Amino acid sequence: MCGIIGVTGESDAIPLLLGALHQLEYRGYDSAGVAVVVEGADGSDSVWRARAAGGTTSVAKLAELTADAPTGHAAAIGHTRWATHGGPTAENAHPHIDCTGRLALIHNGIIENHAELRAELEAAGHTLVSATDTEVLAHLIEQGMAGGATLVEATRVVLPRLRGSFSIAVVSADEPDTIVAARRNTPLVLGLHEGVAFLASDIPALIGHTRQVFALADDELAVLTPGALTVTTADGTPVEPEQLTITWDLESAQKGGFADYMSKEINEQPEAVADTLLDRRGPGGELILDEMRLSADDLRSIDKVFIVACGSSYHAALVAKYAIEHWAKLPTEVDIASEFRYRDPVLNERTLCVGVSQSGETLDTSEALREAKRLGAKVLVVSNVVDSSMARAADGVLYTRAGPEIGVASTKCHLAQIVALEVLGLYLAQILGTLPASEINGILDAMETLPRLVTGALERVGDVDDVADKLTDARDFFFLGRHVGFPIALEGALKLKELAYLRAEGYPAGELKHGPIALIEPGTVVVGIATRNPLWEKMLSNIAEVRSRGATVVLLAEDGDEETAGEADHVLWVPPTAPLLSPVVGVVPLQQLAYRLARLHGHDPDRPRNLAKTVTVE
């Protein structure tokens, strides 16, 4: 998500920090900041900080704020933030400082238990001024140093107390040339060059400064001083960090070594799913949402749910319909947002209207929510962007935490939306009492295995490519599914249209015989979603209908399901999971199939023709 840069041993660090933050802008951000340790006229050291908010202009604003910064820097850190906890304001921007103002810290990731840590700190007399999960880290380290610990000792004591993911870098005026860094599940790299030491969230920030780059591993802690670095495990055991070979240019580095942003983002999906699930359980195990401004009584009054969305978000909403009706027993309608307000929808104060938009700015969806609110409905937004216009106007917000998505065709945001909407379904079930707590926790436990299963699906990319290679000459595709397989089919067809510009239609398989089967002939490719959902047997019957008419059949099947594989010409294997969770895993090989066919046809998957990332026209 965010961008991190740190340097020690550079006497004029701010230009370096600003340049590195500019190189990390591709990651997306809504605010930025720097903190440097400086020596005053009296010889004493202090921390000087500047922060700015304003979306993609934040780094430019920061450059203005630092024009008159003190010179003669010791350790220095900088950050671009993609907001999660707390809106994109200067007060919530990093670096965060402690009560003394002598310690500054930056952080990527999410601290799941930040609420209980905040309560503990406030009870001990600390004053926290931001809405972020990050600020608690600065105060916890301050607490350790107040007891006599060094910066590295205090940081090491804090790390085992943290639940969630993090990359952190912290500086203190008490140890002016030192940066202490640590990570868990979120990348951090280190660098050395001629008396200078660096750290960054991503390699692009270091290209141009050093090619001597090292990877910090999970639960390792690094101490950087001018021209030197040491790395230890969490218990203090010294280790040798892995040195990386850097052969990339800057553009390749921004893509993490992938050929394009699309393939990078497809491979970031396990992290996107994991981050969207983080911080969803309260101290008592109950489900919590980000900014739910609707009370439990408000939600208990609901007798119907509408979900409005466009494109891939619409397909995620269709999955949610199955989950909400099954778990919360609430009738749920899913509408294409551009049509919703023109059909006299019947809503009132007992209706919950959920708008799903990656950007939170999609005009059709925003206008649909405006109409729902006018009719008296309660409005909830699922968005990937904190403080978007839709989020500000809603009665509650559930954020996906997929990080910036550069590719126009949605991949990781789509999976994160499915997960977030299913969390909403469980939350409604909890409020309404339609599922016991034990069952809700069991489903959440299963959801927390999804990142591993998505990783397993991604690892089959070679097999997907082999199938795509055999379909290079095909021009007509039908994607068929039943139950939750139907939204997967729709998304698979959409990805093929968006990326490869091939004719592709998604259908509920049972509708095939009501007209579309007339188009099935030799040369037509039928992609069937044949994982073991409740209508699996009926799905195989539908597949038999197209096989008998000469179609080439590609089936999405669960590992080891030879019975299903026997009905296919080609198989896309996926790890098995519960039917209502299966779309999160099942859509992955269909993304890969569309990507590979796009490449085989010579198309740029990052920039599909005629499409825009955020649709702000009707």
Side-chain angles (χ1 to χ4, degrees):
M1 292 185 192
C2 312
I4 277 180
I5 180 66
V7 60
T8 182
E10 174 62 53
S11 61
D12 191 15
I14 288 180
L16 187 151
L17 295 181
L18 292 173
L21 294 180
H22 176 69
Q23 300 298 352
L24 293 171
E25 285 183 317
Y26 73 96
R27 295 170 69 92
Y29 66 102
D30 47 48
S31 57
V34 296
V36 293
V37 179
V38 295
E39 184 177 346
D42 62 356
S44 62
D45 295 301
S46 62
V47 170
W48 185 90
R49 177 178 64 155
R51 300 178 293 172
T56 54
T57 65
S58 301
V59 173
K61 289 181 178 179
L62 188 63
E64 295 175 5
L65 293 174
T66 56
D68 298 323
T71 57
H73 308 136
I77 52 178
H79 190 270
T80 51
R81 178 177 186 246
W82 178 269
T84 54
H85 296 77
T89 64
E91 292 74 19
N92 289 329
H94 301 210
H96 289 286
I97 60 173
D98 67 340
C99 294
T100 70
R102 295 180 60 76
L103 181 149
L105 179 143
I106 54 180
H107 163 233
N108 287 355
I110 295 172
I111 305 302
E112 288 187 69
N113 56 330
H114 66 94
E116 59 193 78
L117 294 172
R118 175 182 286 264
E120 172 193 310
L121 287 163
E122 289 175 338
H126 290 261
T127 301
L128 282 74
V129 297
S130 79
T132 69
D133 55 331
T134 298
E135 191 183 359
V136 300
L137 302 176
H139 291 268
L140 288 169
I141 295 170
E142 171 199 358
Q143 208 163 244
M145 294 186 73
T150 63
L151 183 61
V152 65
E153 291 168 347
T155 304
R156 178 173 286 116
V157 169
V158 166
L159 299 182
R161 302 195 60 195
L162 307 180
R163 296 200 307 270
S165 60
F166 56 81
S167 293
I168 63 170
V170 57
V171 297
S172 170
D174 294 342
E175 300 178 32
D177 289 320
T178 299
I179 305 176
V180 175
R183 63 152 284 189
R184 180 188 301 158
N185 299 328
T186 304
L188 200 63
V189 292
L190 315 172
L192 290 174
H193 182 70
E194 296 182 357
V196 182
F198 307 88
L199 61 84
S201 54
D202 209 350
I203 290 169
L206 301 185
I207 289 180
H209 301 293
T210 181
R211 295 262 166 176
Q212 190 179 3
V213 178
F214 305 85
L216 195 65
D218 274 355
D219 290 306
E220 288 184 346
L221 189 146
V223 178
L224 285 70
T225 52
L229 62 87
T230 59
V231 178
T232 62
T233 61
D235 64 4
T237 303
V239 294
E240 285 295 322
E242 176 191 1
Q243 185 164 358
L244 304 176
T245 302
I246 307 303
T247 59
W248 307 332
D249 59 19
L250 180 59
E251 183 180 4
S252 297
Q254 289 178 332
K255 295 171 182 173
F258 291 96
D260 42 62
Y261 287 112
M262 176 62 64
S263 53
K264 175 177 180 284
E265 288 160 5
I266 286 173
N267 281 277
E268 287 174 342
Q269 291 181 124
E271 181 182 357
V273 170
D275 285 349
T276 298
L277 287 168
L278 280 174
D279 210 17
R280 299 300 184 198
R281 300 197 212 209
E286 73 283 2
L287 256 174
I288 54 175
L289 304 188
D290 296 283
E291 294 182 17
M292 179 52 73
R293 298 184 284 272
L294 294 167
S295 69
D297 286 342
D298 288 334
L299 294 175
R300 289 190 192 101
S301 73
I302 290 166
D303 59 16
K304 189 173 187 178
V305 177
F306 278 87
I307 311 178
V308 291
C310 306
S312 293
S313 299
Y314 173 73
H315 302 155
L318 289 173
V319 176
K321 172 182 172 69
Y322 289 94
I324 293 171
E325 291 189 339
H326 184 69
W327 292 333
K329 308 304 180 188
L330 283 170
T332 302
E333 292 189 29
V334 179
D335 270 79
I336 293 172
S338 57
E339 292 293 321
F340 176 76
R341 62 196 174 107
Y342 299 113
R343 65 169 182 83
D344 286 335
V346 180
L347 301 90
N348 56 36
E349 68 281 355
R350 296 177 65 82
T351 305
L352 176 66
C353 189
V354 182
V356 188
S357 166
Q358 175 267 327
S359 65
E361 306 293 343
T362 307
L363 184 64
D364 292 319
T365 309
S366 178
E367 290 299 318
L369 293 185
R370 189 191 303 272
E371 176 69 2
K373 206 158 195 177
R374 186 185 71 80
L375 294 170
K378 299 169 178 66
V379 171
L380 179 71
V381 164
V382 175
S383 173
N384 197 48
V385 178
V386 172
D387 209 30
S388 62
S389 62
M390 286 169 57
R392 291 194 302 270
D395 298 312
V397 188
L398 176 55
Y399 289 115
T400 55
R401 298 170 182 148
E405 190 174 66
I406 308 301
V408 171
S410 183
T411 52
K412 62 177 182 174
C413 281
H414 174 66
L415 261 63
Q417 286 171 345
I418 296 173
V419 170
L421 285 164
E422 293 200 327
V423 167
L424 173 62
L426 288 175
Y427 184 79
L428 291 172
Q430 174 180 279
I431 295 293
L432 298 173
T434 53
L435 287 180
S438 59
E439 190 169 346
I440 291 172
N441 276 291
I443 296 168
L444 274 172
D445 290 342
M447 292 178 76
E448 287 169 355
T449 70
L450 287 172
R452 174 176 56 81
L453 299 180
V454 172
T455 298
L458 288 167
E459 290 170 349
R460 327 290 174 85
V461 64
D463 297 335
V464 177
D465 287 350
D466 290 343
V467 173
D469 292 347
K470 295 178 176 69
L471 303 177
T472 308
D473 295 330
R475 289 295 181 271
D476 295 291
F477 290 75
F478 279 87
F479 287 72
L480 303 179
R482 303 197 72 156
H483 198 260
V484 289
F486 171 46
I488 302 175
L490 288 173
E491 180 64 13
L494 179 62
K495 283 293 160 284
L496 197 59
K497 284 182 276 199
E498 287 179 308
L499 301 181
Y501 315 150
L502 295 169
R503 288 184 291 274
E505 298 298 331
Y507 269 93
E511 283 294 293
L512 195 66
K513 55 187 172 292
H514 294 289
I517 200 168
L519 296 173
I520 303 297
E521 60 184 358
T524 304
V525 176
V526 173
V527 181
I529 313 306
T531 50
R532 297 270 180 150
N533 68 45
L535 299 183
W536 170 77
E537 288 183 334
K538 293 182 183 296
M539 182 67 200
L540 290 194
S541 297
N542 300 135
I543 293 301
E545 293 174 333
V546 299
R547 277 185 70 89
S548 67
R549 288 161 176 81
T552 299
V553 173
V554 180
L555 291 184
L556 190 74
E558 294 173 351
D559 289 344
D561 188 352
E562 296 299 336
E563 185 177 356
T564 297
E567 302 299 320
D569 297 299
H570 310 290
V571 181
L572 303 174
W573 296 104
V574 292
T577 188
L580 285 175
L581 307 185
S582 64
V584 177
V585 181
V587 78
V588 172
L590 303 187
Q591 297 168 341
Q592 294 172 322
L593 180 68
Y595 173 86
R596 176 65 173 177
L597 285 168
R599 282 296 186 189
L600 289 171
H601 287 283
H603 305 313
D604 180 354
D606 283 345
R607 298 177 180 85
R609 65 190 183 200
N610 305 329
L611 299 179
K613 184 64 181 171
T614 301
V615 181
T616 56
V617 295
E618 190 171 16

